[in-house]
Amino acid sequence: MKLEKEKIFKTLNPNKVWIPVLLGVGIVAFLFYQDDSVTVENLSLIFQAEILPVALAFFVLFARDVGYVYRIRMITGKRLNWKSSIYVIILWEFASAVTPSVVGGTAVAVFILMKEGLKLGKALAYTMITAIFDNLYFVVMAPIVYLIASGHIFPQNSMIETQLGRSLPALFIISYTLIAVYTFVMAFAVLVNPRWFRWILLKITSIKFLRRWRQGAYDQGSEIMMASKELRGRNFTYWLKISLSTIFIWTARYAMLNCVIEAFSNQSFFEHIVIFARHVVIWITMLVSPTPGSSGTAEFIFTQFFKEDLGSVTFITNIFWRLMTYYPYLFLGAIVLPRWIARVFKKKKK
């Protein structure tokens, strides 16, 4: 993995926050203009939100971030202290927010970990295992929620039929399949047989019209082997802590939407299950979005999934959801980044 400083800092650029912000605002404005049922009065509904669910939403969000910090510290075997772990999570979230979801911020994450004092092999290993466990949560949870909320996950409404051509289930299946295949291949490569994985890559790129990618395949295979070596011999407790913290993090992340919706619209227990299930599906479709941090895509899909059930509070719930789960990381990352750069490069000089 070529970690070119210029490209990394081009990604970690505070000025890039305005691209997803403008995309998100643009889609919200479009939805506002297009939907006659949304009026200025709908915006005033934010002042009618119930305090307890809102407070619970902030608590769940905070707990999720604490879980992220705890997990990265456990993944690194406590090689990162708490302060470094906080920096890593903030900047990793920032990198994910300013890059397309389908691309991700892997190279940036490796760079950040290396600047926090980890060697390349360890940084690669910890980044890869984080991605694998995150994706495993989706792969395992999606079929579970699909079965529990079967028949209620994909809403039937005229807007979906006219604008998306009933393609949401197809989009979900394609996204889920891509994530599942990628996750199992990477898990096998990193945790089972990295040498065989590299051999396969080299065999594939030995085909005449694929030879131009042979060097890249060799480098990728070597990185997988390096990462696998770093993770070899970890005990059961290590994997248990990562597994439980991953379940906690993502469950909290999805449950936050339940709190937000409850603040504006009372829901039954089964309706909350459906909300949770739909959030999982929304997130999986967002993972293949070409926009930075799924900006615009997320707001649009949210409206398609919840408009029929939430009615007049759909618009304000949509805004509140994104304001809590996306935009804070954009601006927090932009604020923290200069301080982190000064910190790690000062440390290097010493």
Side-chain angles (χ1 to χ4, degrees):
M1 181 179 292
K2 296 180 180 179
L3 300 176
E4 300 177 18
K5 285 185 181 179
E6 293 79 9
K7 290 185 178 180
I8 297 295
F9 283 118
K10 190 175 180 180
T11 300
L12 291 173
N13 185 348
N15 293 326
K16 294 188 75 172
V17 302
W18 300 113
I19 298 174
V21 167
L22 291 174
L23 278 172
V25 171
I27 289 295
V28 168
F30 170 75
L31 294 172
F32 185 88
Y33 172 79
Q34 184 193 51
D35 193 345
D36 294 333
S37 65
V38 179
T39 63
V40 176
E41 285 72 22
N42 290 130
L43 299 178
S44 65
L45 292 173
I46 194 170
F47 299 108
Q48 299 178 23
E50 295 185 20
I51 299 300
L52 184 59
V54 171
L56 187 59
F58 278 104
F59 174 78
V60 170
L61 190 64
F62 175 76
R64 188 211 71 168
D65 290 336
V66 171
Y68 266 129
V69 172
Y70 170 83
R71 186 180 65 167
I72 194 63
R73 192 159 187 262
M74 293 303 106
I75 287 176
T76 62
K78 296 184 179 180
R79 288 181 175 85
L80 294 180
N81 58 34
W82 289 109
K83 184 177 182 179
S84 294
S85 299
I86 292 171
Y87 271 115
V88 168
I89 293 304
I90 291 175
L91 294 176
W92 198 335
E93 286 286 302
F94 175 73
S96 299
V98 296
T99 54
S101 299
V102 70
V103 174
T106 302
V108 176
V110 172
F111 177 80
I112 294 168
L113 288 170
M114 289 181 65
K115 286 301 176 184
E116 286 294 342
L118 300 180
K119 293 182 179 179
L120 175 61
K122 294 184 186 300
L124 277 169
Y126 301 147
T127 302
M128 287 181 182
I129 206 64
T130 299
I132 288 171
F133 271 79
D134 283 344
N135 288 340
L136 270 176
Y137 182 92
F138 305 143
V139 171
V140 173
M141 184 59 70
I144 294 174
V145 298
Y146 187 87
L147 289 173
I148 294 175
S150 181
H152 297 275
I153 288 184
F154 299 106
Q156 301 297 320
N157 63 58
S158 57
M159 187 177 291
I160 287 180
E161 292 176 4
T162 57
Q163 295 185 352
L164 297 180
R166 300 181 182 180
S167 61
L168 276 178
L171 179 60
F172 165 72
I173 292 171
I174 292 170
S175 302
Y176 179 83
T177 302
L178 290 173
I179 294 167
V181 170
Y182 170 80
T183 302
F184 287 126
V185 168
M186 290 303 294
F188 176 83
V190 175
L191 302 175
V192 180
N193 197 329
R195 192 174 296 277
W196 186 82
F197 175 74
R198 186 174 70 171
W199 181 81
I200 289 292
L201 287 180
L202 293 176
K203 278 293 181 183
I204 292 173
T205 52
S206 66
I207 300 171
K208 188 175 181 179
F209 67 92
L210 296 177
R211 284 177 186 169
R212 59 184 295 187
W213 291 289
R214 188 172 178 81
Q215 183 59 49
Y218 178 82
D219 293 339
Q220 179 71 25
S222 299
E223 289 167 7
I224 293 289
M225 291 181 66
M226 192 186 304
S228 179
K229 183 179 178 182
E230 293 294 338
L231 294 168
R232 201 171 298 152
R234 302 286 178 170
N235 58 31
F236 174 76
T237 304
Y238 177 82
W239 298 111
L240 181 63
K241 287 180 179 178
I242 296 174
S243 300
L244 292 178
S245 58
T246 300
I247 293 171
F248 173 81
I249 288 165
W250 285 101
T251 301
R253 187 164 201 157
Y254 294 138
M256 195 280 299
L257 178 58
N258 291 76
C259 300
V260 170
I261 290 178
E262 183 65 24
F264 297 99
S265 175
N266 293 329
Q267 303 288 315
S268 68
F269 178 74
F270 180 74
E271 286 171 333
H272 274 295
I273 292 176
V274 172
I275 290 168
F276 188 92
R278 286 184 179 178
H279 198 181
V280 173
V281 173
I282 287 172
W283 202 268
I284 289 175
T285 55
M286 284 165 56
L287 286 176
V288 294
S289 169
T291 60
S294 301
S295 185
T297 305
E299 289 86 352
F300 181 77
I301 292 180
F302 181 94
T303 300
Q304 311 311 308
F305 268 86
F306 290 106
K307 181 172 178 56
E308 291 296 313
D309 297 317
L310 297 181
S312 61
V313 299
T314 305
F315 189 75
I316 195 64
T317 305
N318 191 346
I319 294 174
F320 203 89
W321 170 60
R322 288 296 275 175
L323 283 175
M324 288 190 66
T325 60
Y326 179 62
Y327 293 103
Y329 300 102
L330 277 177
F331 295 108
L332 185 60
I335 293 169
V336 168
L337 180 60
R339 183 176 298 181
W340 177 79
I341 291 173
R343 173 175 170 267
V344 295
F345 283 96
K346 183 179 179 181
K347 184 191 298 185
K348 185 177 179 180
K349 288 180 181 179
K350 287 183 179 180

